[in-house]
C-alpha cells in the first residue's frame, strides 16, 4: 500500500499550476511566498511538473494580433486507427491543436490561417489525409477566450526583434533573459525591456498549458451550444461559468463552442447544468477530451 503524501503533493501541484496560469514567468521565491511553502519544496514540484512533459509554460499571442483571421474547429471521422490519422493531421503547420475525444467524431483539430483561401486549402489537406472519412467544420466568427487567455491587440507595433523574442517565448515562456537575448541577437537588458513591454501591452500572455487526463491533472470537456436569438448577450454569461477557458462564437452546427476544465468530472457536470439553465440556450452537446495529441500555438513570426 502506498503511504499517504504528508505534504499534499497533488494539491500543491494544482496550486502551482494556478499560479503559473496567472504568471508563467513567476520567480521561485515569489511562488514560494504566495503559496506559503518552502522554496526547496516549490522548486522540486515545479521542476517535476515541467519535466513531466504534461505541463508547459509558453507565450501565447492572440491570433488576430499577428494577422491570423481565419480560424476553424474541425471534427473528423476516421476509417483507420485514430492515432495514426491524428498524427497525420497534427503534422500540418496550420493545425495548432489536435485532440482525441469521445463521441461520434473521435478526433478534433483546430486550424488557424491568415485568410479564407488559406483556410479552405488547409481543410482540403485534412480531407485528403489517408484515413480521414468525413469532416464537419465550425468557422469562428469571434474568438472570445483563447487558450492561455491572451488579449486581442488590434494594432500591435512589432519590429523584427519583438518577433524573434516572441518566437522564443512561444517555445519556452520561462527562458531566461540571457537565453532569449542570445537567440534573438540582443543583450539581456534589452531582451528584458522588450519582453516586459510585450507583456504589459497585452501582446503576449505567458502561462501554463497542461495536458488533461494525465495523472491528477484536470479533465477537459468540450461543449457546443445552439441558442435562440443573438448570442452576443449569452457569451458573457458562459464565459463567467467556472472552468471555461476557451470560448468562440461559431458558424455551423453550433452557435458557441467552448471547453470546461475542472479537477473532477462532477464539477464539469455542475458547470454544464448551469450552462443548460441559461436563458436562450436551446441545446448543449459535449465531449470528453481523452488524449491531447498536439497543442502548440506558435503563431508565425516573420
Amino acid at each position: 500500500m502506498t503511504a499517504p503524501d504528508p505534504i499534499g503533493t497533488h494539491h500543491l501541484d494544482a496550486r502551482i499550476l494556478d499560479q503559473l496560469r496567472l504568471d508563467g514567468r513567476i520567480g521561485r521565491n515569489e511562488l514560494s511566498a504566495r503559496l506559503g511553502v518552502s522554496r526547496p519544496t516549490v522548486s522540486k514540484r515545479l521542476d517535476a511538473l515541467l519535466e513531466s512533459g504534461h505541463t508547459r509554460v509558453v507565450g501565447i499571442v492572440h491570433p488576430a494580433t499577428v494577422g491570423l483571421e481565419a480560424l476553424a474547429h474541425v471534427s473528423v471521422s476516421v476509417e483507420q486507427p485514430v492515432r495514426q490519422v491524428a498524427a497525420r493531421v497534427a503534422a500540418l503547420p496550420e493545425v495548432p491543436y489536435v485532440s482525441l475525444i469521445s463521441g461520434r467524431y473521435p478526433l478534433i483539430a483546430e486550424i488557424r490561417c491568415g485568410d479564407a483561401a488559406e483556410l479552405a486549402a488547409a481543410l482540403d489537406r485534412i480531407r485528403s489525409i489517408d484515413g480521414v472519412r468525413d469532416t464537419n467544420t465550425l468557422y469562428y466568427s469571434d474568438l472570445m477566450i483563447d487558450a492561455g487567455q491572451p488579449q486581442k491587440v488590434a494594432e500591435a507595433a512589432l519590429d523584427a526583434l519583438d518577433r524573434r523574442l516572441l518566437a522564443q517565448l512561444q517555445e519556452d515562456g520561462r527562458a531566461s533573459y540571457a537565453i532569449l537575448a542570445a537567440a534573438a541577437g540582443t543583450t539581456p537588458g534589452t531582451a528584458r525591456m522588450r519582453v516586459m513591454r510585450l507583456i504589459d501591452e497585452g501582446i503576449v500572455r505567458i502561462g501554463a498549458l497542461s495536458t488533461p487526463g494525465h495523472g491528477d491533472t484536470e479533465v477537459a470537456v468540450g461543449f457546443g451550444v445552439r441558442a435562440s436569438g443573438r448570442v452576443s448577450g449569452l457569451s458573457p454569461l458562459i464565459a463567467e461559468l467556472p472552468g471555461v477557458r476557451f470560448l468562440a462564437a461559431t458558424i455551423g452546427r453550433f452557435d458557441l463552442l467552448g471547453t470546461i476544465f475542472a479537477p473532477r468530472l462532477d464539477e464539469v457536470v455542475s458547470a454544464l447544468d448551469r450552462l443548460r439553465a441559461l436563458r436562450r440556450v436551446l441545446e448543449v452537446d459535449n465531449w470528453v477530451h481523452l488524449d491531447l495529441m498536439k497543442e502548440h500555438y506558435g503563431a508565425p513570426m516573420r
Side-chain angles (χ1 to χ4, degrees):
M1 179 182 297
T2 303
D5 183 354
I7 62 170
T9 298
H10 301 315
H11 177 61
L12 177 57
D13 286 354
R15 294 174 65 202
I16 290 173
L17 278 172
D18 285 342
Q19 293 299 319
L20 289 175
R21 291 188 185 105
L22 294 173
D23 178 7
R25 292 186 67 83
I26 186 172
R28 294 171 190 253
N29 288 336
E30 185 177 354
L31 187 57
S32 170
R34 286 190 188 180
L35 299 179
V37 180
S38 72
R39 189 184 190 282
T41 299
V42 165
S43 291
K44 179 180 179 181
R45 295 313 311 157
L46 176 61
D47 290 341
L49 283 169
L50 297 178
E51 292 169 5
S52 70
H54 301 309
T55 297
R56 296 178 298 122
V57 176
V58 294
I60 300 179
V61 181
H62 194 284
T65 301
V66 289
L68 298 180
E69 300 287 354
L71 317 177
H73 173 281
V74 186
S75 301
V76 182
S77 63
V78 300
E79 54 191 9
Q80 293 182 12
V82 66
R83 288 186 184 278
Q84 295 178 14
V85 180
R88 295 167 191 148
V89 174
L92 297 176
E94 307 92 344
V95 175
Y97 184 90
V98 178
S99 182
L100 309 185
I101 64 168
S102 61
R104 173 187 170 190
Y105 296 99
L107 165 64
I108 60 170
E110 188 177 77
I111 302 174
R112 300 189 175 197
C113 294
D115 56 34
E118 292 179 6
L119 176 62
L123 282 168
D124 280 345
R125 283 191 283 275
I126 289 178
R127 295 188 189 102
S128 300
I129 287 174
D130 188 27
V132 169
R133 182 174 62 193
D134 179 35
T135 62
N136 190 293
T137 304
L138 293 167
Y139 183 84
Y140 295 1
S141 57
D142 188 16
L143 180 56
M144 291 162 285
I145 304 177
D146 194 12
Q149 301 185 345
Q151 299 178 37
K152 183 191 296 185
V153 181
E155 297 182 0
L158 301 175
D159 63 17
L161 177 56
D162 290 331
R163 290 179 179 274
R164 290 196 297 271
L165 289 168
L166 284 171
Q168 295 301 314
L169 290 170
Q170 288 180 150
E171 297 298 327
D172 181 3
R174 289 185 65 83
S176 70
Y177 291 115
I179 291 175
L180 291 171
T186 188
T187 66
T190 299
R192 183 182 187 282
M193 180 183 67
R194 290 294 189 102
V195 169
M196 293 301 296
R197 180 184 68 81
L198 292 169
I199 293 173
D200 290 343
E201 293 183 3
I203 292 170
V204 65
R205 177 93 194 292
I206 300 175
L209 298 176
S210 56
T211 304
H214 284 270
D216 292 276
T217 59
E218 298 170 307
V219 293
V221 174
F223 63 84
V225 175
R226 289 182 56 247
S228 63
R230 298 171 64 89
V231 301
S232 57
L234 179 60
S235 54
L237 300 177
I238 296 177
E240 292 175 356
L241 293 176
V244 174
R245 291 199 216 127
F246 178 86
L247 184 64
T250 56
I251 298 172
R253 70 188 189 278
F254 300 129
D255 301 304
L256 290 161
L257 177 76
T259 309
I260 295 172
F261 294 81
R264 302 186 311 273
L265 280 172
D266 63 318
E267 295 183 24
V268 176
V269 171
S270 297
L272 290 173
D273 280 343
R274 291 176 61 177
L275 173 58
R276 294 186 189 95
L278 294 175
R279 197 165 71 89
R280 298 206 309 274
V281 169
L282 298 176
E283 181 182 344
V284 177
D285 192 9
N286 60 85
W287 49 91
V288 177
H289 289 265
L290 303 174
D291 196 359
L292 184 60
M293 301 290 290
K294 180 182 181 181
E295 187 175 29
H296 190 278
Y297 299 102
M301 292 296 163
R302 303 184 183 90

